[in-house]
């Protein structure tokens, strides 16, 4: 029997301190991705996106173990978030203006043929509504700043304001990509005050007078 890989323990980018910011170089990682828009608490697209991702992720896990002898723990759900005005995430907290891409990381040995087969298998019975919207894509973030937030999602605003307006400019960096969250807790089962979420912001060198919009 092969050992089951837990990427939360083997990939350094899944490590983040609580109460301080860490600069980390994130390697290129491959993800199942699906896009959407609007308040994740009320948007049907958000729920159906989650419902489409997991069947494909588990079909890939089982195929990897069965056909390649390589077993792994399905990594946590992740999300890229952005808006035309990043104040929608901090001061105004207007969730109706949010755009998002939900992500589930897959190992680099998963190829296109395995992905296509997993999608077909996931749709064989009770096909998820948004199954055809899932894509397999590599995310290149490079240098990032991240921290571990413990608490409800609505309590992130102050942390993000400090990250965007204080820490990043003080390090002579500027924002260079989409806000990234990694949900170490299952928000469907864990009380809001106990939720553990990595908050990540890609950056690039160069002082900026004000936080830039995500690319």
């Amino acid at each position: 029997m092969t050992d089951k890989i837990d990427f939360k323990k083997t990939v350094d980018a899944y490590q983040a301190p609580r109460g301080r910011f860490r600069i980390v170089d994130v390697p290129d990682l491959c993800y199942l991705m699906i896009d959407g828009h609007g308040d994740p608490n009320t948007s049907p697209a958000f729920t159906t996106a989650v419902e489409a991702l997991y069947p494909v992720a588990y079909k890939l896990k089982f195929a990897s173990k069965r056909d390649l002898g390589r077993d792994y723990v399905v990594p946590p759900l992740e999300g890229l978030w952005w808006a035309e005005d990043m104040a929608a995430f901090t001061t105004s907290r207007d969730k109706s203006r949010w755009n998002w891409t939900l992500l589930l990381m897959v190992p680099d040995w998963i190829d296109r043929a395995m992905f296509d087969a997993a999608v077909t298998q996931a749709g064989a019975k009770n096909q998820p509504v948004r199954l055809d919207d899932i894509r397999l894509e590599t995310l290149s973030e490079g240098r990032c700043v991240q921290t571990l937030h413990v608490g409800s999602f609505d309590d992130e605003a102050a942390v993000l304001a400090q990250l965007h307006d204080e820490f990043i400019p003080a390090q002579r960096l500027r924002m260079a990509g989409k806000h990234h969250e990694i949900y170490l807790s299952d928000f469907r089962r864990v009380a809001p005050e106990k939720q553990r979420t990595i908050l990540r912001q890609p950056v690039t060198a160069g002082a900026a007078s004000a936080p830039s919009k995500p690319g």
Side-chain angles (χ1 to χ4, degrees):
M1 180 179 294
T2 59
D3 292 334
K4 183 183 297 187
I5 300 172
D6 187 344
F7 294 104
K8 296 193 305 298
K9 299 177 180 178
T10 62
V11 177
D12 182 60
Y14 282 114
Q15 306 302 314
R18 182 181 182 183
R20 62 184 178 87
F21 299 111
R22 178 192 180 205
I23 298 175
V24 58
D25 290 315
V26 179
D28 290 358
L29 295 171
C30 190
Y31 288 92
L32 301 176
M33 300 186 177
I34 189 167
D35 302 321
H37 174 80
D39 187 339
N41 296 314
T42 59
S43 171
F46 188 88
T47 300
T48 53
V50 174
E51 292 171 346
L53 282 174
Y54 277 99
V56 177
Y58 276 97
K59 293 295 184 185
L60 287 172
K61 166 190 161 62
F62 298 145
S64 178
K65 180 180 180 180
R66 180 187 66 242
D67 300 336
L68 305 178
R70 306 178 80 169
D71 194 11
Y72 60 92
V73 178
V74 172
L77 183 69
E78 308 182 34
L80 303 178
W81 301 85
W82 70 102
E84 287 301 314
D85 182 355
M86 285 302 288
F89 290 95
T90 53
T91 55
S92 68
R93 204 68 181 167
D94 185 354
K95 299 178 184 180
S96 67
R97 297 163 59 191
W98 293 0
N99 301 300
W100 43 265
T101 299
L102 294 184
L103 316 167
L104 279 176
M105 194 268 276
V106 295
D108 57 10
W109 62 78
I110 298 296
D111 61 21
R112 180 67 55 179
M114 292 180 68
F115 167 72
D116 290 341
V119 170
T120 298
Q121 292 166 12
K125 294 181 180 179
N126 301 317
Q127 177 171 326
V129 174
R130 300 199 62 200
L131 181 65
D132 293 339
D133 294 333
I134 298 175
R135 65 186 185 278
L136 181 69
E137 192 171 301
T138 297
L139 180 64
S140 301
E141 291 184 297
R143 180 148 294 183
C144 297
V145 181
Q146 59 189 41
T147 189
L148 176 65
H149 172 71
V150 179
S152 74
F153 299 134
D154 286 334
D155 290 339
E156 293 176 3
V159 180
L160 294 177
Q162 183 182 6
L163 174 62
H164 297 170
D165 302 331
E166 298 177 22
F167 183 84
I168 290 176
Q171 300 298 312
R172 299 190 65 80
L173 300 169
R174 59 186 177 86
M175 294 164 61
K178 297 179 175 69
H179 171 64
H180 189 158
E181 297 189 349
I182 301 170
Y183 307 108
L184 300 179
S185 304
D186 186 339
F187 50 76
R188 298 167 299 179
R189 297 180 172 88
V190 177
E193 65 273 14
K194 296 181 179 179
Q195 290 169 348
R196 299 169 64 249
T197 307
I198 294 177
L199 307 181
R200 175 185 294 167
Q201 177 59 53
V203 293
T204 190
S209 57
S212 59
K213 295 180 181 179

